[in-house]
Amino acid sequence: MGRNLRFWLATPDAAPFDPGDAPLALGALLLRAARTDYAGLFSAPATLDAILARRYDLTVTEAAEMREACERVEAAAPQDSLRFAAVLHMAVCYHERLAIALSLIEVTAALGICHPDDPLLAALLQAVLGVHPVDLQSPRRAG
């Protein structure tokens, strides 16, 4: 799993991105964030597993297996985290990035890791996932 994605990451301009690789790509991006500037939001590997399970409706075992595949993809990704994020912003549709962002917010809030308004979380969502803050607000009902 993720073999084609690893090759694509090495030369993203050489071939089109396979949308079926988006879950692994986003998981690898979150894993990179967990290992760098945003480690405080991912207190344990189980946090990323919970985010993956929530977003992709996986069991605990399936989520752990997916995280392991994401680890292999992340190891093959560009070392420059900003470049890695930028490449995925261009390749992965906004809807997919927004969906994983919403899962991240729900899981970190449920685990008591951070509040949805936490500035570190907002920075992660904008810088790493490229999600606009206005899209994360609950719609208000008229009346």
Side-chain angles (χ1 to χ4, degrees):
M1 190 187 298
R3 182 176 179 190
N4 292 336
L5 179 58
R6 290 192 309 250
F7 289 127
W8 179 84
L9 283 168
T11 55
D13 296 330
F17 179 77
D18 180 354
D21 286 333
L24 282 180
L26 292 172
L29 187 59
L30 288 179
L31 189 61
R32 173 70 59 84
R35 292 179 175 168
T36 58
D37 299 335
Y38 304 96
L41 296 175
F42 300 91
S43 56
T47 304
L48 182 58
D49 291 0
I51 294 166
L52 295 172
R54 172 80 176 119
R55 169 65 185 108
Y56 300 109
D57 195 26
L58 303 173
T59 65
V60 172
T61 303
E62 292 168 336
E65 290 172 358
M66 183 174 178
R67 179 182 35 81
E68 290 172 2
C70 291
E71 288 171 350
R72 291 188 296 275
V73 170
E74 189 269 337
Q79 293 302 310
D80 179 357
S81 296
L82 293 176
R83 181 172 175 267
F84 181 31
V87 166
L88 292 183
H89 290 180
M90 297 299 294
V92 178
C93 76
Y94 186 76
H95 172 74
E96 286 296 321
R97 291 183 283 124
L98 177 61
I100 196 92
L102 293 171
S103 295
L104 188 148
I105 290 169
E106 291 173 11
V107 168
T108 55
L111 294 174
I113 295 170
C114 68
H115 188 271
D117 295 330
D118 186 300
L120 185 61
L121 180 61
L124 169 78
L125 299 174
Q126 287 182 312
V128 175
L129 293 174
V131 174
H132 305 290
V134 69
D135 294 334
L136 300 170
Q137 297 173 358
S138 299
R140 298 181 190 258
R141 289 194 272 179

